[in-house]
Amino acid sequence: MKIEFREGPIEQIEIPLLAASAFEGAPASSGATEGLPATTRAMLETLQKSGELTGKMNECTLLHHPPGLRAERLLVVGAGKKEKLNAGAALRLVGTAVRFARGKSIHHMGWVSAGSGLEPVQHAVEGAILADYDPDKYRSDRNTSRRIDQLEFLTGNSRPGKAENVELERGRIIAEATNFTRELVNEPSNRMTPTLLADQAVSTARKFGLQSKVLGPDEIQALNMNAFWAIAQGSGEPPRLIVLRYDPPGAPTAPVIGLIGKGITFDTGGISIKPAQNMEEMKTDMAGGAAMLGVMRAIAQLKPAVRVMAVVPAAENMPGGRAYKPGDVITSMSGKTIEILNTDAEGRLALADALHYAKQQGGTVLIDAATLTGAVTIALGNITTGVFGYNKEWVNRVLSSATATGERMWELPVDDDYRDLYKSSIADIANTGGRYGGAITAAMFVGEFAGDTPWVHLDIAGTRWNYEEKPYLAKGPTGHPVRTLVHLLMNIA
Ligand code: BES
Ligand code: MN
Ligand code: ZN
């Protein structure tokens, strides 16, 4: 999608579709509709009076041959209540317009007002590119003609400066990285094995100038990553430990941010096997790892002055003949022993060794993203990512980056009082803490391996996937929490 600014009087622009947002209550005379000529607004006024135009969130009103304009059509997108407009809402407005236009096979459109303060340029660009994605790669009738070729941000009489152009480029980089993550998450497990995920990581690193290293079964065992190895044992697919590094010359030596992403390319549950119903969803159990690869891709282009390392333990959790079993005791890379009570609580085992490895490789702040528990979806649904950590400063940094980008996140507690839930009668700790507080005990298990290093855990089991098509977003992978983490890294530097 070509996105650019266009100056000049709105009423003179010849284009298949002009789109503008309008607030609830006074859609004909608020928001971007203020920038339209008086005759156009008079027409909107009539629609407002008749109740056809309300300005309610994501309402789409299409006018052909709009009076006062040379554009063939005018689309008014409801922006909801003015006081509720935030980053997420701004992004959705442009997204709604893009998906509406696609539905009408329109390929060229203009957006009134981006950058005027209503919809910041970066959010507008992100909204457009995220909306133009569909997980339809494997459909023979894939409608590639249903994509927007050209989107113009109409700035009226004001000339966009350097700042606006920088924002546009930043939005594009971040949204394209998010879509890259969505593509990885969408791949079925036969086409996204640990080996293929590592190949994707290496080719991305090459393309964007990152250092990469991939460890296979021998190296993983030689490092005593027995917790990670235990998962991989049951599968014919060999595991991969994927390591990407971004070390910009001249960046301060600390902090070194370690981004750890769960990379289970399929989670059957292992011997503690999952029910058949919805098991196909477990192809997305590498969403945390895919997100970290997306973040690395974005920062390789945005170039913040901060050192970052991504560690993605990639394996398949299968009930094969060599699979690990309930009751097994495993000595993790850190030396802590773990009693396996449920082989379906595998993510925390992979993270345990990956966190330890990231620390050993010099990580001074650890952030992990993982589709770790069904329990977090009971607490927060599919809307909000669960945020955990003992270090208030870093938890708050993540939360404020989430607010700034419109990705929803909420802190859940970690507290010593929960520790008894995952004690083991024969080893240092057990790998499950029971049903109650399941997202918390899983997080705390992972935290045991961060030790004193500042650590934030993001449970994205709910937010990795959008279960219902939205006016601004396809059904399918969301790319959470790429945008939050990129924002965080950009604001450390
Ligand atoms: N990958 C799952 C968690 C999950 C559930 C992700 C639903 C996405 C959607 C994880 O490995 C798992 O199986 N967790 C168990 C833990 C339990 C055995 C303690 C769970 O949540 O049931
Ligand atoms: Mn599992
Ligand atoms: Zn899992």
Side-chain angles (χ1 to χ4, degrees):
M1 191 193 309
K2 191 160 145 201
I3 306 180
E4 55 201 3
F5 292 108
R6 176 158 168 191
E7 269 182 87
I10 304 281
E11 57 271 27
Q12 284 172 23
I13 291 176
E14 289 178 26
I15 197 165
L17 177 75
L18 260 186
S21 64
F23 289 113
E24 192 171 335
S29 52
S30 66
T33 52
E34 280 178 73
L36 299 175
T39 37
T40 319
R41 277 187 284 141
M43 173 62 141
L44 297 180
E45 198 73 49
T46 315
L47 292 174
Q48 182 181 319
K49 284 208 181 95
S50 73
E52 278 165 83
L53 180 68
T54 68
K56 283 210 172 65
M57 195 55 152
N58 295 322
E59 173 194 71
C60 287
T61 309
L62 184 69
L63 300 179
H64 284 255
H65 309 296
L69 296 176
R70 287 205 186 158
E72 289 165 44
R73 305 172 189 82
L74 173 67
L75 172 67
V76 181
V77 183
K81 298 211 165 67
K82 189 167 188 169
E83 59 277 15
K84 283 196 171 171
L85 187 72
N86 56 20
L91 185 143
R92 289 173 180 191
L93 289 178
V94 186
T96 298
V98 162
R99 287 187 80 78
F100 184 91
R102 284 163 36 117
K104 305 276 180 225
S105 295
I106 292 167
H107 306 289
H108 178 191
M109 61 183 284
W111 180 259
V112 183
S113 98
S116 68
L118 291 172
E119 297 99 18
V121 173
Q122 188 187 328
H123 294 141
V125 174
E126 289 178 13
I129 295 176
L130 296 175
D132 203 30
Y133 169 88
D134 269 310
D136 57 357
K137 181 175 168 188
Y138 294 112
R139 280 192 195 285
S140 311
D141 64 349
R142 182 179 200 191
N143 198 344
T144 40
S145 66
R146 270 203 180 186
R147 286 197 160 71
I148 302 292
D149 300 323
Q150 197 182 356
L151 169 63
E152 296 186 276
F153 288 146
L154 310 173
T155 60
N157 299 322
S158 64
R159 168 162 298 209
K162 184 152 188 289
E164 283 80 12
N165 280 293
V166 168
E167 261 199 72
L168 193 156
E169 204 42 38
R170 196 192 301 142
R172 175 194 294 287
I173 288 169
I174 294 172
E176 285 176 356
T178 308
N179 284 350
F180 165 72
T181 293
R182 293 164 86 189
E183 265 160 25
L184 297 181
V185 174
N186 191 55
E187 288 294 337
S189 71
N190 61 330
R191 295 170 187 265
M192 193 49 64
T193 60
T195 306
L196 293 170
L197 185 61
D199 291 349
Q200 284 285 336
V202 170
S203 61
T204 302
R206 270 208 202 106
K207 190 164 165 201
F208 296 99
L210 297 160
Q211 296 170 55
S212 68
K213 185 164 77 176
V214 176
L215 309 187
D218 296 342
E219 292 142 304
I220 289 164
Q221 286 173 89
L223 282 167
N224 287 319
M225 297 187 138
N226 302 313
F228 174 38
W229 176 249
I231 307 163
Q233 245 173 255
S235 169
E237 286 293 340
R240 295 283 184 262
L241 186 81
I242 303 164
V243 186
L244 297 187
R245 291 195 80 121
Y246 168 71
D247 269 308
T253 48
V256 178
I257 312 294
L259 301 175
I260 298 97
K262 173 175 173 181
I264 300 299
T265 57
F266 197 79
D267 180 13
T268 64
I271 296 299
S272 315
I273 199 161
K274 288 180 182 294
Q277 180 116 48
N278 303 330
M279 204 204 268
E280 74 283 358
E281 289 183 11
M282 288 301 118
K283 72 172 187 180
T284 65
D285 215 15
M286 33 60 79
M292 295 321 191
L293 299 182
V295 172
M296 294 305 281
R297 169 180 154 140
I299 61 165
Q301 298 172 80
L302 297 168
K303 303 198 189 308
V306 58
R307 297 182 195 280
V308 189
M309 159 179 44
V311 180
V312 178
E316 224 182 35
N317 188 21
M318 295 282 283
R322 304 189 60 87
Y324 76 133
K325 303 175 286 302
D328 287 359
V329 174
I330 287 150
T331 307
S332 67
M333 187 185 189
S334 73
K336 263 196 218 316
T337 57
I338 304 165
E339 182 187 10
I340 304 303
L341 296 182
N342 190 319
T343 63
D344 197 12
E346 85 296 341
R348 61 198 80 184
L349 301 173
L351 294 175
D353 283 347
L355 253 70
H356 188 81
Y357 178 84
K359 268 202 298 186
Q360 209 182 57
Q361 295 296 306
T364 62
V365 175
L366 306 175
I367 302 175
D368 80 73
T371 46
L372 203 64
T373 67
V376 83
T377 68
I378 304 297
L380 299 172
N382 295 113
I383 310 292
T384 305
T385 291
V387 181
F388 306 78
Y390 301 98
N391 186 297
K392 284 288 157 207
E393 187 205 330
W394 283 97
V395 166
N396 288 335
R397 280 183 190 236
V398 171
L399 290 172
S400 42
S401 286
T403 305
T405 56
E407 288 184 324
R408 287 196 178 71
M409 297 202 183
W410 200 261
E411 187 181 4
L412 293 173
V414 282
D415 189 286
D416 280 346
D417 284 358
Y418 290 93
R419 284 198 77 203
D420 282 347
L421 293 171
Y422 57 94
K423 64 175 191 263
S424 161
S425 49
I426 67 164
D428 294 336
I429 45 176
N431 83 326
T432 64
R435 255 162 60 81
Y436 282 27
I440 295 169
T441 51
M444 288 179 59
F445 179 100
V446 176
E448 300 276 345
F449 298 86
D452 295 331
T453 306
W455 155 78
V456 183
H457 161 65
L458 304 176
D459 195 334
I460 58 165
T463 51
R464 79 200 189 294
W465 196 259
N466 173 32
Y467 283 90
E468 213 178 294
E469 159 115 28
K470 302 270 166 45
Y472 49 86
L473 198 73
K475 175 175 170 173
T478 59
H480 269 245
V482 171
R483 293 187 301 113
T484 296
L485 294 180
V486 172
H487 185 276
L488 175 91
L489 296 171
M490 293 298 288
N491 286 281
I492 291 173

